[in-house]
Amino acid sequence: PTKSISAPWKSFLSTPEILKAYYMLHQVDSVRKDYKSALHYLSLYNSLREEIYNESESKQFLDLSIKYETLQKEKKMQALEAQNLLQKQKDIAARRLFYGGFIFLGIVIFLIYLRYHSNRKKNLQLSKQKEEIDNQNTNLQKLNDKQTVATFSSSGN
């Protein structure tokens, strides 16, 4: 029975089959009362079972590690996407603020120009009115001088 799972034959058997063979050899040797051999196969059986269990645990641990790392990377990606979206929104807000300020500045300059133009028109009007008033004052002064001369001439005669 020991030759059935010796080194050359192990390559043809699956791990569960080898495990089953160790257990069966343990039972056969126990029935034959070959306790030393039975204990040896039981030890091989337990070692292989523990190895399978450890491999299974390692695979589970590896799977969980991969899932955890994947989740962490997904969270990082989401955080980066959120940060990118926030930066885009800030850029849009800054651009709108810039354009709004530019438009506001343009309106202020336009209003200042209108005010300047209006003041210039009023100054020209006031200058014309001043000229007219000055001309009228000059004419009135001349008339007043004539009347004064005429009044002195008529009283002096």
Side-chain angles (χ1 to χ4, degrees):
T2 57
K3 290 183 180 179
S4 66
I5 52 170
S6 61
W9 297 102
K10 273 188 175 179
S11 60
F12 296 109
L13 299 174
S14 67
T15 305
E17 290 172 334
I18 294 171
L19 190 65
K20 189 174 180 182
Y22 282 148
Y23 189 73
M24 289 173 72
L25 287 171
H26 156 71
Q27 287 181 331
V28 168
D29 283 345
S30 292
V31 169
R32 288 183 27 209
K33 297 190 182 194
D34 186 2
Y35 298 116
K36 187 177 179 185
S37 180
L39 186 60
H40 173 70
Y41 286 120
L42 183 60
S43 174
L44 290 174
Y45 170 78
N46 285 332
S47 295
L48 185 59
R49 195 174 76 179
E50 191 174 311
E51 187 180 314
I52 292 169
Y53 177 75
N54 287 340
E55 280 182 28
S56 173
E57 274 192 347
S58 294
K59 285 181 183 178
Q60 283 180 341
F61 178 75
L62 186 62
D63 286 346
L64 287 175
S65 295
I66 290 171
K67 286 179 183 178
Y68 176 76
E69 288 175 11
T70 303
L71 285 173
Q72 292 302 318
K73 287 180 182 179
E74 286 176 359
K75 283 182 182 179
K76 272 187 179 178
M77 290 286 287
Q78 288 174 350
L80 287 173
E81 287 174 3
Q83 190 176 15
N84 190 19
L85 181 62
L86 182 63
Q87 186 61 42
K88 283 182 182 178
Q89 289 174 346
K90 283 181 180 179
D91 290 346
I92 290 170
R95 199 173 312 125
R96 284 181 182 165
L97 184 63
F98 173 76
Y99 290 139
F102 190 71
I103 290 171
F104 178 74
L105 183 63
I107 290 171
V108 167
I109 290 172
F110 181 71
L111 290 174
I112 290 172
Y113 173 77
L114 286 179
R115 182 75 174 165
Y116 168 77
H117 188 68
S118 172
N119 283 344
R120 191 167 173 219
K121 269 185 165 179
K122 284 180 183 177
N123 285 340
L124 286 173
Q125 254 183 345
L126 287 173
S127 293
K128 285 180 184 177
Q129 286 177 355
K130 185 180 181 268
E131 268 184 45
E132 287 177 19
I133 290 172
D134 285 345
N135 287 340
Q136 286 177 359
N137 280 339
T138 305
N139 289 339
L140 283 174
Q141 190 64 38
K142 286 179 185 176
L143 281 175
N144 194 12
D145 287 343
K146 282 182 185 178
Q147 282 182 351
T148 308
V149 170
T151 310
F152 281 124
S153 339
S154 52
S155 39
N157 277 337

